[in-house]
Every structure is written in C-alpha cells, then in structure tokens.
Amino acid sequence: MSREDFLQGLERALEGSIPAPMVREQLRYYEGYIRTELERGRSEQDIMEELGDPRLIARTILDTTPGAAEGAYEDAGSGYAPYQSREEGQQSQERRSGRIHVYDLSKWYWKLIGIIVAVCVLMLVFTIVAGLFSLFISLLPVIAAVALVMWIVGGFRR
C-alpha cells in the first residue's frame, strides 16, 4: 500500500463520522508522521506495514471521539455537531459560551459508577427496612401486652 492509498483509505473511513476539521487534522498528523519517518531513512513500505490498515486506525479514532457513535457530522458554521442546522449550531455555540457543559455518560466507568451508586442506594433502603423491622420485633411484646390489656379492659366494659 502506498502513502496516498493509506491517506485516502483513512479519509474515506473517517469522512462523515467525525467533523471535517478533525478528519483534516488526522490526515495532517499521519502525513507528517510518514514524512518524518521517510526523512529518518525508513522505506515507505516499512512505514505502511507498521501503520497497518487505515480502517483499524479510523476505528480507534472513532472510538475515542466523543459523539462519533451517535451519527454523521455536518459542518454547521462556526461550531459543528451531529445533525444540526446552521441556526442550531450557532445556538449550540452560544450555549457553550454560557458555560453549559455536557458530560458524556456513555463511557464504561460512568456506567460502573452508576451501578455502584444503585447498589449503595438499595443497600441503604434494605438497611433502613431491616432496622425498622428489628425495632418493631423488639417492641412486639410491649405492643402485644398493650393490645391484650386493651382487649381485656374493652371486654369487661361490654
């Protein structure tokens, strides 16, 4: 595979999945890397073998790019976001300048934290219920005695 084939394959694999400026940035990076390695005296064939399949590199880039899994990107004026019109892009830019931050909670560690929090909440609920039950059990003889006395006293009144 030649350098041109590699860069074209990488561009095809990334196009439409991440913003166009990010595609250009990745292409510039790999083009610079190849040029640097050629200047060091390595052959183009060796460099291409080291880099491997451009689709695998693209997959890694897509997996590490927030929002790439949600869908295709469009260039929406000054800010880019998936499936947004120019007006929505400008509104999105205004929201970003208004200090609104969006957290990507789809990562594995956020899911793990969510599971841990859910388990802790369930344990807290069970602990409270068990505490109330044990309190009720310890007071049961007293409650039974009071109920018996009230029944007896109520029975004598009839």
Side-chain angles (χ1 to χ4, degrees), residues 147-158:
L148 182 63
V149 168
M150 289 176 66
W151 180 69
I152 293 173
V153 170
F156 289 137
R157 286 189 186 166
R158 290 186 194 163

Side-chain angles (χ1 to χ4, degrees), residues 23-129:
V23 173
R24 289 190 297 272
E25 178 184 334
Q26 293 297 326
L27 292 174
R28 277 193 305 271
Y29 170 79
Y30 282 99
E31 191 172 7
Y33 176 79
I34 294 168
R35 188 178 332 105
T36 302
E37 293 300 309
L38 286 171
E39 289 170 359
R40 290 184 179 170
R42 293 183 63 195
S43 72
E44 187 173 300
Q45 183 66 26
D46 288 343
I47 299 168
M48 294 301 107
E49 285 178 15
E50 176 189 340
L51 289 174
D53 190 353
R55 291 174 298 180
L56 294 176
I57 292 173
R59 181 79 262 156
T60 303
I61 294 168
L62 294 175
D63 287 345
T64 59
T65 302
E70 281 85 39
Y73 278 84
E74 279 183 27
D75 193 5
S78 60
Y80 45 76
Y83 302 106
Q84 284 188 341
S85 67
R86 183 175 300 277
E87 294 81 23
E88 289 171 333
Q90 290 170 348
Q91 290 171 354
S92 170
Q93 184 68 27
E94 291 169 6
R95 283 194 299 268
R96 280 193 294 262
S97 65
R99 302 210 184 268
I100 294 175
H101 186 79
V102 177
Y103 292 97
D104 181 17
L105 301 178
S106 65
K107 304 289 185 197
W108 68 268
Y109 47 84
W110 287 116
K111 292 175 184 175
L112 178 64
I113 290 172
I115 290 170
I116 291 171
V117 167
V119 167
C120 289
V121 167
L122 285 174
M123 287 176 56
L124 180 64
V125 168
F126 287 135
T127 303
I128 290 171
V129 169

